[in-house]
Amino acid sequence: SERMLFFTDAVVAIGITLLILPLMEAATELGEKEAEGEGHSEESNAQPAHEGGGLTVDDFYRSHWRQIAAFFVTFVTVWSVWTGHIFLFAYISLVPALMLTLNALWIASVMFLPVANTLMYDGWLLPYYVVLTCINVVVALMRHALRRVDLNESRPSDYSLVRSYVWILCGVCAMPIDVLAPDGWAFAGIL
C-alpha cells in the first residue's frame, strides 16, 4: 500500500509542477522580448521591474491573468483530489488489484489536468470538465470497491459516495452548457 501511495504522491507532485511551466515559459519569453526592445513601452506609467529594464509585475499580470487564474483553479483542483485520495486510502492496509487499476486510472486523469489547464486558458473548458468528471467517476468506483475490501477501521460513509455522485452529475451538467453556450462558461464553472 505504501509503495502505491508514494508513487501516486510523486506523480501528483509532477503534475503540479507541470502546471507552472507554461507560466514560467511566458515569463521568460516576455523578459526576452523586453530585452530585445519589443516589450515595455516608454509611454506606459509602469516602472521597469529592475534597473536593467524588463517587464513590471503589473505588465505580466495584465497580459497573463487568464493563465494565472487557470493555474490557481487547477492547483486547487489537484490539491483537492489528492487530499481526497489520501482519505480514501487511509482505510486500506493491503491494496487489492482492482484498487491498483482504479488508482492508475485516477493518476492518468490527474496527469491530464495540466493539458486541460492549458486548454482552459485558451477558452476550451470542455476538456477540463471531462477530466474532472473522469476523476470523480474513478473515485466513485474506488469507494464502491472499498465496500468489498476488508478494512482496517471504519468504512467510508455513504455520504462520501453520494458526494461523488453529486460531483459526477455537476460535471455531466457542465459539459453540455459549455458546448451549447460557450459564453456561459462562468455558469458551467460554478457547477
Side-chain angles (χ1 to χ4, degrees):
S1 171
E2 282 185 4
R3 289 183 66 201
M4 184 204 67
L5 292 176
F6 289 152
F7 176 75
T8 303
D9 291 348
V11 170
V12 170
I14 291 167
I16 286 178
T17 302
L18 291 175
L19 289 176
I20 196 67
L21 293 180
L23 280 172
M24 295 302 296
E25 183 178 333
T28 302
E29 286 175 4
L30 290 173
E32 288 170 357
K33 285 180 183 177
E34 173 59 29
E36 295 171 3
E38 300 173 15
H40 187 75
S41 69
E42 292 182 20
E43 297 173 4
S44 172
N45 291 333
Q47 296 298 316
H50 51 79
E51 290 180 15
L55 291 174
T56 66
V57 173
D58 187 48
D59 291 337
F60 181 78
Y61 287 138
R62 285 181 193 215
S63 61
H64 292 285
W65 70 269
R66 289 186 70 165
Q67 196 172 6
I68 293 167
F71 165 78
F72 280 110
V73 166
T74 307
F75 182 88
V76 168
T77 301
V78 171
W79 178 262
S80 175
V81 297
W82 177 69
T83 56
H85 187 273
I86 290 170
F87 291 121
L88 186 65
F89 278 86
Y91 298 102
I92 302 175
S93 59
L94 182 62
V95 180
L98 176 61
M99 290 299 282
L100 285 172
T101 302
L102 291 172
N103 191 64
L105 292 173
W106 183 89
I107 289 171
S109 298
V110 170
M111 285 304 295
F112 197 74
L113 276 170
V115 175
N117 175 65
T118 301
L119 294 172
M120 180 172 53
Y121 163 68
D122 291 334
W124 292 81
L125 294 174
L126 185 60
Y128 200 78
Y129 299 141
V130 169
V131 171
L132 289 179
T133 303
C134 288
I135 289 170
N136 285 303
V137 166
V138 171
V139 168
L141 291 171
M142 287 176 165
R143 288 186 172 134
H144 274 292
L146 278 178
R147 293 175 171 266
R148 297 185 178 99
V149 174
D150 189 25
L151 302 174
N152 292 339
E153 301 171 15
S154 63
R155 295 183 185 279
S157 69
D158 289 337
Y159 168 75
S160 66
L161 194 53
V162 170
R163 189 175 60 218
S164 289
Y165 292 141
V166 168
W167 282 115
I168 292 167
L169 180 63
C170 288
V172 168
C173 290
M175 286 182 229
I177 291 171
D178 184 58
V179 171
L180 298 174
D183 293 336
W185 68 269
F187 176 72
I190 290 171
L191 284 176

